Amino acid sequence: MTGLVDTALKTVGVARPSAKTASANAVMNTYNRFPLTLVRGKGCWVWDDQGHRYLDAVAGIATDTLGHSDRVMRRSLHRQLRRIQHVSNLYRIPEQEELADWLVQHSCADSVFFCNSGAEANEAAIKLARKHGHQRRNIERPVILTAAASFHGRTLAAVTATGQPKYHQGFEPVVEGFDYFNYNDINSFETALQKHEEHGPKVAAVLIEPLQGEGGVNPGDHAFFQTVRQRCSERNILLILDEVQVGMGRSGRLWGYEQIGIEPDAFTLAKGLGGGHAIGALLVQAEADVFRPGDHASTFGGNPFACRAGLTVAREIERRGLLQHVEQRGIQLREGLELLVERYPDLFEGTRGWGLLQGLVLRENSTCNAAQLSAAAIDQRLLLVAAGPRVLRMVPPLVITRREVQQLLQRLDATLATAA
Ligand SMILES: *Cc1c(COP(=O)(O)O)cnc(C)c1O
């Protein structure tokens, strides 16, 4: 019957009316998904469509800074929706100015460009770096150095910046003007720098994460970043930090750069900034700001609604003293994870991370990978996310309580007991 209707409609050039029930097939097949449908959330907890409750150590994907359906966030966004949602950047936007002021007052930056995601923030940074390279170092074809195993997003330039060949495969030609060094490896960095600079200025910027998130929860090394900072300053190369995952308090400091003891010329934000709402930002120091009107733009970037979400996150981090809270809960989580490493020595070689961005590192010869363990955790009603094949990542909402950290560790222990 349906076949006949299809044929009939096709002959007159009309698509078949959509089925009554929502179908997964209409969604383009770009994600490996867990067989789980989450329909409701409160704080650090989410419920599936069967009514089962899960402890959420994924938090969107490190985005739900204040947890799900936070009361203050709800009220503030309801109020904003009643006032105004979107006006274009043709006009002044008070919410945007307020959020920019807050970010500038609380960081080393002097001005902010708003967009909608991490990849877009990095695109803005890449354009800024190229213009800065042309103008301030007289480079014709600027190169941007990034780290192997990094992650900077999925648009063409951001994915080229991402130092993982698996993300490039099938999408060549990648964008020109990028080269790579090994993260936390001073020799590798110096070699890459020398290679491009030996016949005069060629490098416009170094774009790097203070802690590699997707690449395996790998914290930046102090001495390494001191050297990178020094080399960049000597040559007027921009040091741009990708703080998309670490920034906005997740490390226990507001910015990841505070953990490695340097100041960048520019840095990018997204994930945690909007507390679950789409917003990204490029923050720059005055000397690095070469953008002029017309250089860059975004239709939705900096709209009143997204900026209200960002402002609410910012103010609640302060009002609830979340930085200290993240530091304490981070220590509790870390200590618990260290006990699990001791209890399951055949599975794990260690744990690493900052604050509420922690990773459990599987042994090379371990009998299971991080994706399998995340799937097994679902049976224990715990949501976890892999960071590469060998790291199990925990990025709960920053408001997670002491008791909830205990529950997270208990559920993780139960998961590992079944896996081991
Ligand atoms: C997630 C992430 C991105 C990409 O952000 P999107 O919003 O998905 O474009 C870029 N950099 C880092 C460090 C990230 O963790």
Side-chain angles (χ1 to χ4, degrees):
M1 179 62 202
T2 331
L4 284 176
V5 172
D6 270 347
T7 316
L9 289 173
K10 225 176 264 167
T11 51
V12 292
V14 178
R16 194 169 69 83
S18 60
K20 289 248 162 32
T21 51
S23 138
N25 297 330
V27 175
M28 209 182 259
N29 191 19
T30 66
Y31 297 98
N32 285 313
R33 296 178 197 269
F34 292 112
L36 195 59
T37 305
L38 302 173
V39 294
R40 190 162 69 85
K42 185 83 197 93
C44 294
W45 301 88
V46 287
W47 284 261
D48 68 13
D49 55 354
Q50 312 295 306
H52 300 127
R53 188 179 80 140
Y54 302 81
L55 181 55
D56 186 4
V58 182
I61 177 86
T63 55
D64 296 313
T65 314
L66 304 177
H68 298 274
S69 192
D70 177 71
R71 195 176 54 87
V72 177
M73 182 66 112
R74 245 164 36 219
R75 285 189 179 175
S76 143
L77 291 183
H78 279 157
R79 234 179 287 129
Q80 186 65 48
L81 281 175
R82 282 197 294 268
R83 202 174 304 135
I84 198 161
Q85 290 182 69
H86 183 236
V87 292
S88 140
N89 286 297
L90 289 167
Y91 313 102
R92 284 184 63 176
I93 300 171
E95 294 83 357
Q96 188 183 124
E97 293 176 10
E98 254 184 275
L99 180 56
D101 273 340
W102 190 92
L103 291 169
V104 162
Q105 275 160 25
H106 290 80
S107 77
C108 64
D110 297 301
S111 61
V112 188
F113 174 84
F114 289 105
C115 50
N116 314 286
S117 68
E120 273 179 87
N122 288 330
E123 289 281 335
I126 290 163
K127 281 180 72 176
L128 181 92
R130 284 184 170 188
K131 190 170 181 197
H132 188 273
H134 290 306
Q135 277 196 351
R136 304 281 164 88
R137 296 198 74 210
N138 238 329
I139 305 172
E140 210 168 300
R141 304 189 78 74
V143 169
I144 295 172
L145 299 179
T146 70
S150 58
F151 187 83
H152 298 294
R154 302 297 200 117
T155 57
L156 263 179
V159 89
T160 307
T162 295
Q164 302 191 51
K166 69 170 179 183
Y167 289 115
H168 301 172
Q169 271 157 28
F171 305 107
E172 300 87 355
V174 293
V175 174
E176 74 167 297
F178 288 89
D179 203 3
Y180 312 93
F181 56 85
N182 293 329
Y183 195 68
N184 284 343
D185 181 337
I186 293 175
N187 285 334
S188 170
F189 173 74
E190 300 270 27
T191 305
L193 191 62
Q194 209 43 49
K195 175 181 151 195
H196 291 284
E197 292 265 310
E198 64 181 337
H199 304 301
K202 192 80 199 282
V203 177
V206 176
L207 170 64
I208 184 169
E209 295 159 276
L211 171 155
Q212 290 191 319
E214 314 289 320
V217 190
N218 196 12
D221 176 70
H222 239 262
F224 172 75
F225 273 91
Q226 301 295 325
T227 304
V228 174
R229 175 67 278 180
Q230 202 178 331
R231 293 290 168 271
C232 288
S233 300
E234 287 162 4
R235 294 164 188 249
N236 202 13
I237 293 170
L238 291 185
L239 174 51
I240 305 173
L241 291 184
D242 180 340
E243 296 249 8
V244 166
Q245 191 156 161
V246 180
M248 226 41 204
R250 181 154 292 284
S251 75
R253 302 285 189 88
L254 208 41
W255 315 119
Y257 66 75
E258 297 173 75
Q259 301 279 4
I260 46 179
I262 56 140
E263 277 191 1
D265 300 298
F267 64 101
T268 54
L269 296 176
K271 287 196 169 80
L273 177 58
H277 299 277
I279 184 169
L282 166 66
L283 294 86
V284 288
Q285 297 222 25
E287 311 78 69
D289 182 6
V290 291
F291 276 166
R292 294 295 168 263
D295 277 347
H296 202 45
S298 165
T299 295
F300 284 110
N303 70 75
F305 185 82
C307 289
R308 177 60 63 200
L311 267 172
T312 308
V313 169
R315 290 186 180 144
E316 290 308 292
I317 285 178
E318 286 190 299
R319 194 178 67 84
R320 300 185 202 179
L322 285 184
L323 297 181
Q324 205 192 351
H325 178 80
V326 168
E327 197 175 7
Q328 288 164 352
R329 296 290 70 77
I331 291 169
Q332 182 194 356
L333 178 58
R334 176 60 164 267
E335 286 173 354
L337 293 177
E338 275 161 8
L339 288 178
L340 291 177
V341 172
E342 279 174 34
R343 187 170 306 170
Y344 303 96
D346 295 337
L347 282 179
F348 299 111
E349 64 173 46
T351 175
R352 61 194 184 208
W354 292 335
L356 288 175
L357 203 182
Q358 294 289 334
L360 260 177
V361 187
L362 285 155
R363 285 192 183 286
E364 200 112 40
N365 59 0
S366 188
T367 48
C368 49
N369 64 33
Q372 288 165 331
L373 285 179
S374 315
I378 291 176
D379 294 335
Q380 304 300 327
R381 308 266 192 263
L382 172 64
L383 302 186
L384 301 171
V385 60
R390 281 182 53 211
V391 179
L392 205 54
R393 175 169 39 159
M394 275 141 271
V395 282
L398 304 193
V399 295
I400 192 169
T401 63
R402 174 190 296 273
R403 166 128 181 74
E404 286 166 340
V405 171
Q406 275 168 7
Q407 287 168 302
L408 191 168
L409 290 164
Q410 281 157 6
R411 287 170 190 222
L412 183 54
D413 192 5
T415 305
L416 301 175
T418 58

